[in-house]
Each structure stands twice: as C-alpha cells, then as structure tokens.
Amino acid sequence: MRMKYPHIVMGAVASSAPILGLNGLSDPYSFYNVVSNDFKSESKHCYDVLRNSWSEMYKALATDAGRARLNQTFNMCKGNVDDIPGLVEKALIYGSMMDYPTPSNFLTSLPAYPVKEICRAIDHPTSGNDTVSRIKDAMTIYYNSTGGLACFPGAGAEDDDPYGMFPGWTWQACTEVIMTMSYGISNTTVFPPDPFNLTAYLAGCLATTGVPPRPHWIQSYFGGYDIRNVLKRSGSNIIFFNGLRDPWSAGGILKSISNSIIALVEPKGGHHVDLRFSTKEDPEWLKKVRRQEMRIIADWLKQYYSDEAIDSMMN
C-alpha cells in the first residue's frame, strides 16, 4: 500500500511481512527449518521425539490394533485417527508462529510460550512414556489447553478456522502470492521430509482454484527480484518488524535499508507480536519494540506536518 499509493499512505508498519519469501527469492526449506529450530532450542529431547514420532504414528495407522491404540490415546472425536498426523503438523507450525510471551487466542487458546509448553509436555509426559503418549500430551497444549474439549476434533472441524481466514489465504497463496519459502521440508526438521517441487504445487493450486497461478507476478509488479534496491531508491517510511521465533521471518527484511526504511528484529518475537494488544504481562523487549515503532511514526507525522506548513506558506 505504501509503495503503490504513497500519496494516500503516509507510512507503513509491515509486521512479519515475508516479502523475500516469494518464488525465486528464498530458500524453499527455510520456513520449516525455523519451526524445527524453535523446538530444538527448547529441548534436544523434544526435537528428537518429534522427529521420530511420524514413523510411530504411520506404523500404528497401518494396523487395526495400532489404530485402536491411537484412538484410545488421543481420544479422537468420531474416531478420526487418520487426521492425527495433520493435526500434529498444524500444532507445531502454529505453535511456533504464535510463540507469544503471554497467553493468546489468535487461532486457538494458547498459554504463554507454547513451544516451551509443548516441549515440557513431551519431556515430562503425564499419559505415558511412549512416543505416542508424549505426542498426545503435546497436542493437548495446542488443542485443549483450557481443558474444555471432551475429545480431539478432526481436521476440518467447525472451529478450526474461527475467523474464516484459510480460504482467502489459500486463494492468495495459489494465485499471486506464491510463498515458496514454505514449500519444502528438509531431512533435518521435526517433520517428514518433502522435497521442494514447484511444478507439483502449482498443479495442485490450479486444481484447487481453477485459476492458473502467476508465480512471478508480484515480483514483477513491485520489483521483488531486487526489492532492497527498489526500496532504497524509491521507498520511504516503512517499518519491517520480524520476530525470529516466527518461521515467516526467514523471508523478512532483517536489516534496515535506509534512514526511513527500518528493520526491527527481536530474537524472542513471534508472528506480528508487536501488533497484538498490550497486556500487563508483556516483557520489556516487547514494550521496547512498540516504543520504537511509536517514535518512528511520530517522526513521520512531524515531518509530514512540517512539509505541509512550508507548502501552505509558499502558496
């Protein structure tokens, strides 16, 4: 908005904006690498259990006895045990994104520092010492931290997307905002490896939306292939905030480009944590980030009204 309509938009706070995560600009394995590093930083044992859990889950899903055990351990609503691997993947991704220092309810009710809590549940299980029981305890942190659910919901549950965001995001991510930074999974993450294959992804998008994807459109339109120089030569009044706990930060602007295109980076920050409502429990680093943003915006406003006064005097 700031780049396209500079006569309307005075400045912009681009929080957790992965503008370098597009096709041709990013490492396609970087998103899942950050998620994995978040969990590894909390506990090597937690990281190892998560890595090894997939073979245990798929082995159990292959037999009737294993499926019955999964259903009993996870207490799945309607017995949807086939949904368990997808639920685990979702919990790890969003738990990492929303690794906020205070309790939140952005997509679901989560305690403060959910990555730490998930690893604590794995390292100190209450259901049993086997891998499946540890994973179940970890999933309880993400899906039932309040204790209000009688069973684990399957994929596609009515409350899975309370704000109706996912269809819009799927449309964007399949048509014009092709975020290849999250399309590959290396063999060193907490997830099953999945080699980057842009052709297969675009074919899946076409089948889903019926619209031919345009993987190079946004870069061509905004100058993305050389976005730093484009911004340096023709941009101004933009704050790029990134919290390094957020996997999207791997595609973010992490160094200031000019005096008015400023990168604010917080190692402990999650996804757009700076734009969340403030609470009494906010740590000092988060308060500092917000004060910095306010001071920068105040300078923009001061300059704008100063220029307006000069213009009116000249006219």
Side-chain angles (χ1 to χ4, degrees), residues 8 42 49 53 85-86 89-90 93 110-111 132 136 146 164 189-190 195-196 223 262 289 293 295:
I8 298 174
E42 292 296 340
V49 169
S53 66
E89 181 177 5
K90 174 185 171 183
I93 291 172
L110 287 177
V132 171
K136 178 263 180 181
T146 62
T189 74
V190 295
F196 172 60
I262 301 166
V289 166
E293 291 181 347
R295 283 196 294 267

Side-chain angles (χ1 to χ4, degrees), residues 68-247:
R69 177 182 165 229
L70 285 175
N71 192 45
Q72 181 180 15
T73 301
F74 278 83
N75 188 24
M76 293 296 297
C77 302
K78 302 179 181 179
N80 293 323
V81 293
D82 292 302
D83 292 340
I84 290 175
L87 294 175
V88 173
E89 181 177 5
K90 174 185 171 183
L92 298 180
I93 291 172
Y94 289 124
S96 178
M97 281 176 56
M98 296 181 288
D99 197 32
Y100 300 139
T102 56
S104 65
N105 58 357
F106 174 40
L107 293 177
T108 186
S109 294
L110 287 177
Y113 299 110
V115 171
K116 182 187 293 292
E117 294 303 318
I118 287 172
C119 281
R120 183 177 296 168
I122 288 175
D123 292 343
H124 306 285
T126 59
S127 299
N129 290 325
D130 61 292
T131 296
V132 171
S133 295
R134 290 176 188 271
I135 295 300
K136 178 263 180 181
D137 286 349
M139 294 305 96
T140 299
I141 300 298
Y142 184 84
Y143 292 103
N144 197 18
S145 64
T146 62
L149 294 179
C151 57
F152 273 94
E158 291 182 4
D159 60 350
D160 195 45
D161 182 17
Y163 305 110
M165 296 188 297
F166 293 155
W169 169 247
T170 298
W171 177 269
Q172 271 193 312
C174 268
T175 54
E176 295 176 344
V177 189
I178 312 298
M179 304 297 297
T180 52
M181 64 175 287
S182 61
Y183 294 172
I185 305 176
S186 72
N187 59 8
T188 61
T189 74
V190 295
F191 304 94
D194 187 12
F196 172 60
N197 187 329
L198 181 61
T199 301
Y201 179 83
L202 296 180
C205 282
L206 178 59
T208 299
T209 66
V211 176
R214 294 196 282 171
H216 308 291
W217 173 81
I218 196 167
Q219 300 91 310
S220 300
Y221 192 74
F222 288 103
Y225 288 111
D226 195 18
I227 192 64
R228 290 184 181 89
N229 278 331
V230 169
L231 287 169
K232 186 175 182 179
R233 290 193 300 265
S234 60
S236 64
N237 292 8
I238 302 174
I239 298 170
F240 288 102
F241 169 80
N242 279 282
L244 299 185
R245 301 290 283 184
D246 176 20

Side-chain angles (χ1 to χ4, degrees), residues 282-294:
D282 287 342
E284 184 56 36
W285 61 260
L286 181 53
K287 296 176 183 178
K288 181 180 178 181
V289 166
R290 290 174 176 151
R291 287 195 298 267
Q292 286 178 291
E293 291 181 347
M294 292 295 287

Side-chain angles (χ1 to χ4, degrees), residues 36-71:
S36 296
N37 288 336
D38 284 350
F39 287 95
K40 192 173 185 178
S41 71
E42 292 296 340
S43 163
K44 178 61 164 56
H45 176 257
C46 173
Y47 167 83
D48 289 338
V49 169
L50 290 171
R51 274 177 59 82
N52 296 328
S53 66
W54 304 97
S55 60
E56 294 284 333
M57 286 187 284
Y58 289 127
K59 180 180 178 181
L61 286 170
T63 67
D64 290 340
R67 293 171 70 86
R69 177 182 165 229
L70 285 175
N71 192 45

